[in-house]
Amino acid sequence: QVQLVESGGGLVQAGDSLRLSCTASGRTFSRYSMGWFRQTPGKERDFVAAIRWSVGTTDYADSVKGRFTISRDSAKKTVYLQMNSLKSEDTAVYFCAARYSDVLAIVPAAYFYWGQGTQVTVSS
């Protein structure tokens, strides 16, 4: 059983930075890949970023490339999403997800484990 707990959301102004954390428990994650998704009311959950736990290979949505950085700390079993130059359109609930595969995936259906989500609100 894998449990994911996100933290770090909040209210910030446009142009500010924020770092989200996702702490995992229950497994050895060397064969997992992790993802960050976000969702606004009435819309589908959108891919933000993903990372292979073993070697740290990453992938990003075009909308966040150059502004967001995903990383992981194996010792802490934690995945981070550093968000810089935030825009109002980044406002959403951000979810951490895990899948038992070393292949990166950008669709929510590919992930089996999910956190509860953390709200990020960017005021303009």
Side-chain angles (χ1 to χ4, degrees), residues 7-9 17-21 69 71 76 80-83 86:
S7 62
S17 297
L18 204 59
R19 189 178 78 163
L20 305 182
S21 300
T69 303
S71 61
K76 296 181 178 179
Y80 302 100
L81 185 68
Q82 178 66 42
M83 304 185 294
L86 282 162

Side-chain angles (χ1 to χ4, degrees), residues 17-118:
S17 297
L18 204 59
R19 189 178 78 163
L20 305 182
S21 300
C22 171
T23 301
S25 61
R27 294 281 184 178
T28 300
F29 291 93
S30 60
R31 296 184 180 182
Y32 279 71
S33 55
M34 309 291 291
W36 283 98
F37 291 78
R38 63 188 182 186
Q39 189 171 25
T40 55
K43 294 191 176 182
E44 295 182 350
R45 197 164 293 188
D46 291 331
F47 170 73
V48 175
I51 187 167
R52 294 170 65 190
W53 199 283
S54 58
V55 296
T57 309
T58 59
D59 192 14
Y60 296 92
D62 288 342
S63 59
V64 306
K65 279 181 181 176
R67 299 189 298 123
F68 290 11
T69 303
I70 188 171
S71 61
R72 86 274 189 251
D73 184 328
S74 297
K76 296 181 178 179
K77 291 187 177 180
T78 299
V79 175
Y80 302 100
L81 185 68
Q82 178 66 42
M83 304 185 294
N84 299 329
S85 302
L86 282 162
K87 306 175 182 180
S88 58
E89 51 262 46
D90 294 319
T91 295
V93 177
Y94 283 72
F95 295 90
C96 175
R99 65 190 298 259
Y100 185 63
S101 172
D102 206 31
V103 176
L104 295 178
I106 66 171
V107 294
Y111 291 81
F112 190 78
Y113 302 101
W114 290 86
Q116 81 287 353
T118 185

